[in-house]
Amino acid sequence: MAGGKKRWTIGEAETTPEKLFFSRRALLGLRGGAAPGLTVAGLGLDRIASTQAEEPAAPLPAASPNGRFRAAGPMTAAEDFTSYNNFYEFGFSKDIVRAAQRLKTSPWRIVVDGACDHPFEIDVDDLLEKVALEERIYRQRCVEAWSMVIPWTGFQLAELVKMASPKAEAKYLRMETFHDPKVAPMQSAPQYPWPYVEGLTLAEATNELAFLAVGAYGKSLAKQNGAPLRLVTPWKYGFKSAKSLTRFTFTAKRPVTFWQELGPREYGFWANVNPGVAHPRWTQAYERRIGDDERVPTRLFNGYAEEVAGLYTGLESEKLYM
Ligand SMILES: Nc1nc2c(c(=O)[nH]1)N[C@H]1C(S)=C(S)[C@@H](COP(=O)(O)O)O[C@H]1N2
Ligand SMILES: [Mo]
């Protein structure tokens, strides 16, 4: 990992919520019972350590900066963004770069289905010819209380929604990450509800902030960052921004998300950033800025209240901030 160990020691040891669910012991313990045959070696953890190096990023079509979305504050170094990652399909640490290189991201087909008038399937390369690519600099706030500032290239999720033309009964958009245990070793761990699932209300999905990224720092997304297509919802905790998406489904029923299913007392459907609502195990009032390790105050909706606060009027009885 870039920058050596020292910088991450405190944060990762104390606030990685996923340690609760993803410790090696938990993995091998498998619902408390014995797990004959399932070992770390059996999951391919030994093999991924020697997988090939990171591929050079593919070229990305030109995208003009959208001046309305330029988060203030120091931009995170590209090397930090591409080397300090959460992508549990490939491992439980922040250091999953090499393991993620096993993912084959081209060609990549996505399915758009469910309650819509125009369901479709399309290769991401073809999709990119139908949308307006732009660059937006967004803050990213992980529920583990660290943050980055990232220049994404992509397009509004609303564009994809519009192509599908959802029916009146569609209230939610469910999104699903690829599922291939041969490629992603942790997907062989049966006690986790793979594939990774996330969801938004249709109002959230069509809010102008909701973004589908295909690149960052002017290049195609690296595999460890969720190539070739990932969600970016900057007003929500980072776990909502699901990586390497393959399926978008319109539904009347609220989807149960991956983290909700694993830890319903700690993670919910909404996951809006709020410094005033603590995680059960740590405060959310501050965040550690990746790069200079500065401890800075967290802002309501991660600084995007003006754009999104209105989405939640009338929903005060919901657990909006976990
Ligand atoms: N499929 C998938 N998407 C995921 C995750 C994951 O484990 N699997 N981790 C989430 C979390 S917790 C965060 S903070 C961000 C991290 O994105 P980055 O590594 O590109 O900075 O991705 C999110 N998307
Ligand atoms: Mo996260």
Side-chain angles (χ1 to χ4, degrees):
M1 120 191 12
K5 193 131 189 104
K6 173 193 93 217
R7 290 151 60 187
W8 318 119
T9 314
I10 298 165
E12 207 172 333
E14 290 178 1
T15 67
T16 301
E18 293 80 1
K19 286 280 186 296
L20 181 68
F21 310 108
F22 282 103
S23 69
R24 281 193 174 201
R25 216 173 49 160
L27 178 69
L28 297 172
L30 288 177
R31 293 201 166 113
L38 183 61
T39 62
V40 168
L43 286 173
L45 294 183
D46 49 347
R47 203 178 47 225
I48 61 182
S50 59
T51 320
Q52 78 272 26
E54 198 177 342
E55 283 169 25
L60 191 67
S64 44
N66 183 331
R68 291 177 49 234
F69 304 106
R70 298 171 72 170
M75 199 182 293
T76 302
E79 308 79 70
D80 286 337
F81 171 69
T82 56
S83 65
Y84 184 78
N85 302 105
N86 277 336
F87 203 162
Y88 289 98
E89 286 84 339
F90 292 104
F92 311 149
S93 78
K94 294 288 179 284
D95 190 9
I96 52 79
V97 175
R98 276 181 304 171
Q101 302 317 304
R102 292 171 62 88
L103 185 62
K104 193 172 177 295
T105 55
S106 177
W108 188 277
R109 207 156 173 80
I110 63 162
V111 174
V112 181
D113 65 1
C116 59
D117 288 333
H118 304 295
F120 60 96
E121 278 189 33
I122 194 168
D123 281 350
V124 168
D125 286 345
D126 297 328
L127 178 64
L128 293 193
E129 291 179 4
K130 297 177 186 289
V131 295
L133 284 187
E134 53 177 89
E135 186 178 78
R136 298 181 175 197
I137 304 172
Y138 276 166
R139 280 180 287 276
Q140 167 166 280
R141 170 60 157 81
C142 177
V143 73
E144 300 162 345
W146 53 263
S147 66
M148 297 189 185
V149 176
I150 301 157
W152 299 103
T153 299
F155 56 98
Q156 283 192 195
L157 176 57
E159 288 202 60
L160 183 135
V161 171
K162 198 170 157 205
M163 285 177 208
S165 160
K167 292 184 191 294
E169 69 255 34
K171 295 286 181 275
Y172 298 93
L173 181 59
R174 178 187 184 277
M175 285 157 277
E176 195 177 288
T177 294
F178 76 90
H179 191 197
D180 188 352
K182 292 190 299 300
V183 166
M186 299 314 150
Q187 290 185 333
S188 294
Q191 72 273 45
Y192 303 110
W194 306 112
Y196 200 96
V197 167
E198 261 307 338
L200 297 170
T201 65
L202 221 51
E204 292 177 322
T206 53
N207 180 275
E208 64 176 348
L209 277 183
F211 204 60
L212 285 174
V214 295
Y217 297 87
K219 295 177 182 161
S220 285
L221 278 183
K223 295 178 180 188
Q224 62 270 24
N225 292 112
L229 184 71
R230 66 155 318 156
L231 180 65
V232 186
T233 47
W235 72 99
K236 293 176 177 286
Y237 290 116
F239 66 83
K240 294 292 292 184
S241 295
K243 296 179 171 182
S244 305
L245 294 169
T246 54
R247 186 169 200 160
F248 300 78
T249 306
F250 295 94
T251 158
K253 221 180 103 204
R254 184 181 299 180
V256 177
T257 70
F258 180 83
W259 282 108
Q260 230 184 327
E261 199 156 330
L262 269 178
R265 286 186 309 278
E266 302 198 350
Y267 307 104
F269 172 79
W270 299 97
N272 295 308
V273 174
N274 187 336
V277 179
H279 183 278
R281 291 183 283 130
W282 59 83
T283 176
Q284 295 291 24
Y286 296 91
E287 61 203 55
R288 181 174 56 98
R289 205 156 62 184
I290 298 299
D292 62 9
D293 263 3
E294 215 43 54
R295 186 174 184 256
V296 296
T298 288
R299 295 163 67 192
L300 183 62
F301 294 113
N302 200 23
Y304 297 98
E306 199 182 310
E307 288 89 347
V308 299
L311 293 170
Y312 305 104
T313 48
L315 292 170
E316 290 78 8
S317 62
E318 294 278 338
K319 292 181 171 167
L320 293 172
Y321 306 107
M322 64 169 270

